[in-house]
Amino acid sequence: MNQDEFFLREAIRASENGMNNDEGGPFGCVIVKDGQIIGRGNNRVTSTNDPTAHAEVVAIRDACRQIGYFQLDDCTLYTSCEPCPMCLGAIYWARPARIVYAASRHDAAYAGFSDEFIYTEFDKPMASRSIPIEQMLREEAMAVFEAWRAKADKIVY
């Protein structure tokens, strides 16, 4: 068995354990650096009443705590299922070197976890989306961005 298969099976095992412990849906994730698991997560949406507690987000938070840094340079993220749009965004912000997944988003939809409505919403103009979006107080928010741009001691990410 190769390393990818080993760690992907760990992610699948996390998905099963979380499901069996009634923590959330059947999703699991591990993050690996230099051959060692530095972050683990399983879906905890229903047990924490947190819609962002997907396996990948939980694992990213765990890994970043473990290494004391907000980016996952030179890491591989193994997940039991193709990441949803939210998780994919979080993964890109964390910047791992690669992603390896098992089931597809279509497999997840078959099990009752479809993200297709989100992909459809992204393709619509803002005015046509199912949740209304409006912009206000841009100038006030821009003042804070300008202060950030001028901040000499900021940590760029």
Side-chain angles (χ1 to χ4, degrees):
M1 167 179 20
N2 71 33
Q3 187 170 345
D4 284 342
E5 290 174 350
F6 176 82
F7 290 120
L8 194 52
R9 285 191 175 105
E10 287 294 310
I12 293 168
R13 192 172 358 270
S15 73
E16 187 175 29
N17 289 341
M19 177 190 69
N20 289 338
N21 291 331
D22 295 324
E23 294 176 320
F27 302 94
C29 180
V30 297
I31 298 172
V32 175
K33 184 173 180 126
D34 300 325
Q36 300 294 314
I37 295 175
I38 62 165
R40 294 179 182 272
N42 59 274
N43 184 290
R44 297 180 183 164
V45 169
T46 57
S47 62
T48 62
N49 294 316
D50 179 355
T52 68
H54 289 200
E56 295 90 341
V57 172
V58 172
I60 289 168
R61 290 173 179 161
D62 185 39
C64 289
R65 263 192 311 273
Q66 296 300 322
I67 65 172
Y69 195 60
F70 58 88
Q71 291 184 337
L72 299 173
D73 302 325
D74 303 319
C75 293
T76 300
L77 185 142
Y78 295 91
T79 183
S80 65
C81 187
E82 179 180 354
C84 75
M86 177 189 70
C87 291
L88 193 56
I91 292 165
Y92 271 89
W93 280 116
R95 294 179 174 87
R98 59 194 283 256
I99 303 164
V100 179
Y101 71 91
S104 73
R105 72 185 205 207
H106 305 291
D107 299 327
Y110 169 77
F113 298 94
S114 179
D115 298 326
E116 195 56 41
F117 74 99
I118 297 172
Y119 291 104
T120 301
E121 286 288 299
F122 286 160
D123 288 336
K124 294 179 184 176
M126 281 194 205
S128 300
R129 293 183 181 169
S130 63
I131 298 175
I133 300 173
E134 57 186 279
Q135 183 178 22
M136 298 173 67
L137 303 176
R138 180 176 180 264
E139 294 78 17
E140 292 177 32
M142 285 302 297
V144 180
F145 281 147
E146 290 301 331
W148 170 258
R149 287 173 47 93
K151 185 174 171 53
D153 62 343
K154 66 185 170 216
I155 298 173
V156 178
Y157 60 97

